[in-house]
Amino acid sequence: MENSFEDLIASYIENKVGISEHFLSTTLANNLKQNLIALNKQSLLLEAGVGNSEKVSYDGAIRSDSIYWLDKKHNNAFENEFFAQIEAFIVYLNQSCYTGITGYEFHYSLYESGDFYLKHLDQFKNNPSRKYSMISYLNSNWQESDGGELLIHQVNNNQKIAPTQGKTVFFKSDELVHEVLVTQNTRMSITGWLKSD
């Protein structure tokens, strides 16, 4: 587990974008994916908004995915296993990089064919608590023709990241503008933020 943590941190230091190809084990990624599929079949996912609870709007011209917030109160074994891994990463991050992270929030994100999310920053103007963004992908057998890449905009080096299963991406929430390109296939992930309140 610590190897994947170090992969995230080392690649983040090198390029402002941390990537671990195997942050999630195959078993955990598959279990989380099946959980997301079951939630979607029960119509429990909601239209994703733009903004936070103080000021949220819904605009399908900006983003068109659906989400479901993870919560320990659900007492879901697979979500709790994911939370345990995030908490271990936070301890490692705080000890090695003195980041002062004190909390987190995560949701499932589902993009159907044709869905996208235009360029944006992850930190709100009226609430700077989100410090780092993390996205863990749940898509096995993803092909280049499926689209749906995460496109991160940097001054001299835009980076396109395929949403392949097990991969986790990590970057500062207030620093990098990014977008999700139009997907041609069902695209699943867990997206969230490490916070300092």
Side-chain angles (χ1 to χ4, degrees):
M1 194 185 316
E2 285 194 0
N3 286 342
S4 65
F5 295 172
E6 195 54 43
D7 286 345
L8 280 180
I9 292 170
S11 51
Y12 166 78
I13 290 170
E14 181 179 345
N15 191 39
K16 296 187 177 180
V17 180
I19 298 177
S20 170
E21 295 291 341
H22 305 291
F23 184 84
L24 298 183
S25 69
T26 300
T27 300
L28 179 56
N30 282 332
N31 286 333
L32 290 166
K33 176 168 56 182
Q34 292 308 313
N35 196 41
L36 172 51
I37 291 169
L39 290 165
N40 189 44
K41 285 182 178 177
Q42 297 170 61
S43 300
L44 293 175
L45 274 70
L46 302 173
E47 178 185 1
V50 179
N52 61 10
S53 58
E54 297 172 23
K55 187 179 181 181
V56 64
S57 62
Y58 298 91
D59 187 343
I62 296 175
R63 69 182 298 187
S64 51
D65 58 316
S66 301
I67 65 170
Y68 179 90
W69 288 97
L70 279 66
D71 194 316
K72 285 188 176 180
K73 292 177 184 175
H74 299 157
N75 201 27
N76 178 279
F78 308 125
E79 291 181 21
N80 287 344
E81 186 179 347
F82 174 79
F83 285 144
Q85 181 140 344
I86 291 298
E87 288 165 4
F89 176 63
I90 288 171
V91 169
Y92 190 88
L93 184 66
N94 283 342
Q95 288 178 345
S96 59
C97 301
Y98 309 104
T99 49
I101 299 302
T102 57
Y104 56 82
E105 58 184 4
F106 284 90
H107 61 67
Y108 287 117
S109 187
L110 175 68
Y111 289 75
E112 302 285 10
S113 182
D115 285 346
F116 59 90
Y117 192 170
L118 298 184
K119 289 197 293 187
H120 63 282
L121 274 177
D122 279 351
Q123 193 178 84
F124 305 121
K125 291 178 181 177
N126 62 345
N127 184 345
S129 64
R130 290 179 175 177
K131 302 304 181 187
Y132 295 93
S133 301
M134 289 188 74
I135 308 152
S136 295
Y137 295 111
L138 308 175
N139 309 295
S140 54
N141 303 313
W142 195 261
Q143 305 296 317
E144 188 174 352
S145 59
D146 292 329
E149 296 95 344
L150 175 68
L151 179 59
I152 297 180
H153 295 266
Q154 298 206 55
V155 175
N156 297 312
N157 181 31
N158 289 351
Q159 190 170 358
K160 193 183 287 187
I161 300 169
T164 51
Q165 180 165 293
K167 180 187 295 178
T168 291
V169 182
F170 169 78
F171 54 91
K172 283 196 77 174
S173 300
D174 67 346
E175 191 169 72
L176 296 181
V177 171
H178 56 286
E179 61 185 302
V180 176
L181 302 180
V182 176
T183 183
Q184 306 300 329
N185 205 341
T186 301
R187 177 191 190 275
M188 294 172 280
S189 66
I190 295 179
T191 298
W193 300 274
L194 307 186
K195 303 175 72 177
S196 180
D197 294 316

